[in-house]
């Protein structure tokens, strides 16, 4: 836990006009230790479901359960992508992403806020819908940039799928972070969310207006088309899915 890449606080991202580049360089250093894993096997899935439970129980978002795992019906949808984030080989966080479109319109947000989002899907809008973000309790206090390296997967998904909006169903206290980093704005007032004990607000960021600004300000969110395909494109028949995928933001930095 003494690795020098751990210590930069989240406040460094916005503390003064010189810090964004210093902060981005720091996150780039952290990404050298990071691997992403698309979790489909039983062992990997059990690990991320237990990580969700431990994180949410500590935050008071779920009640104690005998299974000690958090899983729901959205996990197994054909447009669902469940990821583990590994730092030096250790699972430190997890996030789930859905790409909601006319072909596969169901996701957590399109279900909870369906009266608003269904007609937008019918009109041709598409959404990347991140959910089930959870972090290891010890690592979240020592690896302070963990939210950035985890949510990077949502940005990579937006680069790949090119949705109309990136949605975020969040607790109210997290709204300032998403507004600052992704320019997200509230779309729907808070509602109850399946499996959680607290209401969530639906925030959205219009990708055509905000995506490039986010990539310019935080270069570590950049990704190559190769990384995007490895994370989100199903392998051809007879091909094996990659076990882990390495972040590729450094190739943009070098260019």
């Amino acid at each position: 836990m003494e690795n020098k890449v751990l210590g930069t606080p989240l406040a460094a991202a916005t503390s003064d006009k010189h810090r964004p580049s210093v902060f981005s360089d720091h996150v780039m250093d952290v990404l050298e230790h990071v691997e992403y894993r698309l979790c489909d096997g039983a062992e990997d899935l059990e690990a991320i479901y237990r990580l969700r439970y431990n994180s949410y129980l500590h935050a008071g978002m779920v009640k104690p359960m005998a299974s000690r795992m958090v899983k729901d019906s959205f996990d197994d949808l054909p447009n669902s992508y469940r990821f583990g984030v590994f730092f030096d080989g250790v699972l430190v966080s997890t996030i789930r992403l859905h790409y909601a479109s006319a072909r596969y319109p169901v996701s957590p947000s399109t279900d909870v806020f369906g009266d608003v989002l269904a007609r937008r899907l019918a009109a041709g809008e598409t959404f990347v819908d991140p959910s089930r973000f959870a972090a290891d309790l010890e690592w979240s206090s020592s690896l302070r940039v963990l939210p950035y390296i985890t949510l990077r997967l949502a940005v990579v998904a937006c680069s790949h799928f090119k949705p109309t909006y990136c949605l975020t169903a969040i607790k109210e206290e997290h709204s300032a972070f998403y507004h600052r980093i992704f320019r997200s704005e509230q779309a729907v007032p808070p509602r109850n969310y399946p499996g959680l004990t607290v209401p969530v607000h639906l925030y959205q960021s219009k990708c055509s207006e905000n995506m490039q600004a986010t990539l310019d300000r935080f270069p570590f969110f950049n990704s190559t088309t190769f990384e995007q395909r490895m994370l989100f494109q199903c392998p051809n028949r007879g091909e094996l899915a990659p076990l882990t995928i390495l972040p590729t933001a450094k190739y943009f930095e070098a260019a």
Side-chain angles (χ1 to χ4, degrees):
M1 304 292 282
E2 295 299 321
N3 193 308
K4 68 178 182 179
V5 302
L6 300 184
T8 300
L10 296 181
T14 54
S15 59
D16 61 52
K17 65 180 181 180
H18 299 293
R19 282 303 182 91
S21 61
V22 174
F23 176 75
S24 291
D25 287 345
H26 171 70
V27 180
M28 288 288 194
D29 289 341
V30 173
L31 286 176
E32 291 293 322
H33 300 255
V34 169
E35 295 177 341
Y36 297 124
R37 182 179 298 176
L38 181 60
C39 297
D40 286 322
E43 186 174 341
D44 284 340
L45 291 175
E46 182 174 325
I48 65 172
Y49 295 158
R50 290 188 182 279
L51 178 54
R52 289 177 186 175
Y53 176 77
N54 292 334
S55 176
Y56 297 167
L57 184 66
H58 181 264
M61 295 172 63
V62 298
K63 297 178 180 179
M65 295 180 285
S67 67
R68 300 185 63 83
M69 290 190 287
V70 170
K71 182 184 184 300
D72 60 41
S73 60
F74 300 106
D75 278 311
D76 297 320
L77 293 176
N79 59 333
S80 172
Y81 303 85
R82 296 159 292 186
F83 291 101
V85 179
F86 293 78
F87 183 85
D88 285 344
V90 178
L91 177 64
V92 294
S93 65
T94 180
I95 195 169
R96 180 180 65 191
L97 304 172
H98 288 80
Y99 175 57
S101 63
R103 182 181 183 187
Y104 295 118
V106 180
S107 75
S109 291
T110 63
D111 182 70
V112 175
F113 304 97
D115 57 316
V116 175
L117 297 180
R119 62 176 179 266
R120 292 172 55 180
L121 282 166
E125 292 188 13
T126 57
F127 309 116
V128 164
D129 186 13
S131 60
R132 295 303 192 197
F133 176 19
D136 179 90
L137 299 178
E138 182 179 357
W139 281 97
S140 62
S141 62
S142 58
L143 188 59
R144 301 291 300 279
V145 298
L146 191 51
Y148 293 89
I149 63 176
T150 307
L151 289 169
R152 181 179 176 273
L153 285 162
V155 181
V156 177
C158 289
S159 295
H160 178 68
F161 291 111
K162 295 178 173 53
T164 315
Y165 287 91
C166 185
L167 306 176
T168 316
I170 52 176
K171 296 193 296 182
E172 185 174 11
E173 56 263 38
H174 295 158
S175 61
F177 171 86
Y178 284 88
H179 177 71
R180 185 174 71 249
I181 306 303
F182 304 110
R183 300 184 179 182
S184 299
E185 302 286 350
Q186 183 170 314
V188 186
R191 296 183 181 179
N192 293 327
Y193 193 88
L196 299 183
T197 60
V198 295
V200 296
H201 301 244
L202 182 66
Y203 274 67
Q204 63 181 17
S205 177
K206 191 171 185 178
C207 294
S208 62
E209 296 178 358
N210 299 327
M211 185 70 173
Q212 191 58 52
T214 298
L215 295 173
D216 290 343
R217 187 181 178 199
F218 301 106
F220 52 81
F221 284 141
N222 278 299
S223 58
T224 64
T225 55
F226 176 77
E227 181 186 0
Q228 295 164 24
R229 290 197 304 269
M230 291 298 99
L231 289 168
F232 298 108
Q233 185 172 299
C234 293
N236 296 324
R237 184 185 298 272
E239 294 181 355
L240 295 176
L243 180 60
T244 59
I245 301 97
L246 300 179
T248 58
K250 64 181 180 181
Y251 297 111
F252 281 83
E253 187 181 49

